[in-house]
């Protein structure tokens, strides 16, 4: 049985030589800086490479370096809220939003 952390249909892709080379190219291009944090004027070390157009949406974009951006773990979690499960994960996302100044308001009653 596989001991991989995530068991999904993209495991083989993310362990391929092509992906590893392209991932390193994106990290070096972005100087290991989170591109989402940079948009807010923050400099954050990052080691995660994110597909802007997800693999599930368009597999032809999988190995295009201009479809990749380097992001920190916090930003990657915000970009993929569907992957977070459980109350602790939801609290973590809310805490990150709060630190970034994002405020959620309840819908007004009609």
């Amino acid at each position: 049985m596989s001991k991989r952390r995530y068991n999904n249909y993209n495991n083989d892709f993310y362990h391929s030589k092509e992906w590893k080379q392209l991932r390193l190219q994106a990290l070096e291009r972005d100087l290991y800086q989170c591109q989402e944090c940079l948009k807010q004027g923050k400099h954050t070390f990052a080691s995660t490479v994110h597909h802007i157009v997800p693999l599930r949406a368009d597999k032809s974009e999988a190995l295009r370096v201009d479809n990749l951006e380097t992001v920190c773990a916090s930003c990657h979690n915000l970009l993929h809220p569907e992957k977070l499960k459980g109350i602790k994960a939801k609290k973590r996302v809310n805490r990150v939003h709060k630190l970034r100044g994002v405020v959620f308001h309840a819908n007004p009653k009609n």
Side-chain angles (χ1 to χ4, degrees):
M1 181 166 192
S2 174
K3 295 199 187 276
R4 293 179 181 162
R5 183 172 175 193
Y6 299 106
N7 189 12
N8 61 39
Y9 62 91
N10 294 321
N11 277 338
D12 291 337
F13 171 77
Y14 285 117
H15 288 85
S16 71
K17 183 178 179 180
E18 294 84 3
W19 167 249
K20 289 178 181 181
Q21 288 174 341
L22 191 66
R23 177 184 176 277
L24 183 59
Q25 185 180 345
L27 288 167
E28 290 174 349
R29 176 201 63 201
D30 295 339
L31 303 174
Y32 289 82
Q33 293 289 310
C34 176
Q35 300 305 294
E36 294 297 314
C37 287
L38 277 177
K39 291 175 186 175
Q40 299 173 23
K42 299 177 188 175
H43 294 277
T44 308
F45 173 81
S47 60
T48 301
V49 176
H50 170 71
H51 281 94
I52 299 166
V53 175
L55 292 178
R56 67 183 170 275
D58 187 355
K59 288 198 184 271
S60 69
E61 297 286 314
L63 292 173
R64 290 191 52 228
V65 73
D66 59 338
N67 183 42
L68 303 175
E69 71 175 344
T70 302
V71 294
C72 65
S74 294
C75 287
H76 199 239
N77 286 337
L78 291 173
L79 292 166
H80 288 288
E82 74 279 3
K83 291 185 179 182
L84 297 174
K85 296 178 182 170
I87 193 74
K88 284 185 180 181
K90 289 177 185 176
K91 285 182 180 180
R92 184 173 53 243
V93 168
N94 286 337
R95 187 171 49 249
V96 170
H97 278 298
K98 193 176 209 179
L99 290 172
R100 292 184 177 207
V102 177
V103 180
F104 293 96
H105 297 284
N107 291 333
K109 293 181 181 180
N110 292 343

